[in-house]
């Protein structure tokens, strides 16, 4: 069974996945490898529907493994992905309040996310609010990571 890390951008999915298992799967990196281009570029060229279709296929494939998986923040947008995730019994929602996430995203100059660059703070807050209910819907465990260090989060998970 896969251990799936869920959460909004800036919640620490990749950081935690890397600490849990150096051989983890970064779903966004895998998708970019298969697409042969950055996700943002694929969105521009082929559209979101085409991306979500491939994302569903990759998620279904990965859920059959015993890997630690760091998902993209938008994985829960697709109703089909939510169905797939509900069938997996180890989904961890790394939850944080929007202010904390926004501060982390703003400070991360090495990873300027397209969603962050293209939306106002208010628009991002609305996206966050919508997704939050979906993360909670599919999560088997929720950890509030707002004030926890990566080591403390790992302790909660092991």
């Amino acid at each position: 069974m896969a251990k799936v890390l869920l959460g909004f951008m800036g919640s620490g999915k990749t950081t935690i996945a890397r600490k849990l298992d150096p051989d983890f799967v970064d779903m966004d990196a895998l998708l970019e490898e298969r697409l042969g281009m950055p996700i943002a570029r694929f969105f521009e060229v082929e559209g979101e529907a085409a991306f979500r279709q491939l994302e569903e296929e990759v998620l279904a494939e990965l859920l059959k493994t015993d890997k630690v998986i760091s998902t993209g923040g938008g994985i829960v947008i697709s109703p089909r992905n939510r169905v797939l995730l509900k069938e997996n019994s180890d989904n961890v929602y790394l939850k944080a309040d929007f202010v904390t996430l926004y501060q982390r995203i703003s400070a991360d100059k090495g990873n300027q996310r397209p969603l962050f660059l293209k939306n106002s703070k208010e628009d991002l807050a609305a996206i966050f609010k919508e997704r939050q209910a979906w993360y909670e819907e599919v999560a088997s465990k929720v950890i509030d990571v707002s004030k926890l260090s990566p080591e403390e989060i790992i302790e909660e998970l092991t």
Side-chain angles (χ1 to χ4, degrees), residues 59-95:
L59 178 64
E61 177 186 314
L62 291 174
L63 288 175
K64 294 175 186 166
T65 71
D66 63 353
K67 298 279 191 184
V68 172
I69 303 165
S70 171
T71 61
I75 193 81
V76 293
I77 290 171
S78 160
R80 176 73 182 130
N81 284 348
R82 294 196 301 273
V83 167
L84 290 169
L85 287 163
K86 285 180 195 174
E87 294 169 359
N88 188 63
S89 62
D90 196 5
N91 301 322
V92 181
Y93 172 27
L94 302 178
K95 182 177 183 172

Side-chain angles (χ1 to χ4, degrees), residues 17-116:
R18 187 176 289 116
K19 288 183 177 292
L20 283 172
D21 181 0
D23 194 32
F24 80 102
V25 176
D26 181 323
M27 203 166 154
D28 281 349
L30 178 60
L31 284 162
E32 288 187 344
E33 182 181 305
R34 292 201 182 169
L35 295 169
M37 66 180 79
I39 291 170
R41 178 82 178 113
F42 188 83
F43 259 67
E44 291 170 11
V45 174
E46 300 292 335
E48 183 174 1
F51 173 77
R52 296 294 172 205
Q53 176 61 42
L54 178 63
E55 182 184 58
E56 289 171 20
E57 293 167 14
V58 170
L59 178 64
E61 177 186 314
L62 291 174
L63 288 175
K64 294 175 186 166
T65 71
D66 63 353
K67 298 279 191 184
V68 172
I69 303 165
S70 171
T71 61
I75 193 81
V76 293
I77 290 171
S78 160
R80 176 73 182 130
N81 284 348
R82 294 196 301 273
V83 167
L84 290 169
L85 287 163
K86 285 180 195 174
E87 294 169 359
N88 188 63
S89 62
D90 196 5
N91 301 322
V92 181
Y93 172 27
L94 302 178
K95 182 177 183 172
D97 62 271
F98 180 73
V99 172
T100 299
L101 293 171
Y102 193 81
Q103 288 170 343
R104 289 180 186 175
I105 299 162
S106 299
D108 190 358
K109 302 301 181 200
N111 185 11
Q112 290 293 291
R113 297 158 171 93
L115 196 64
F116 172 74

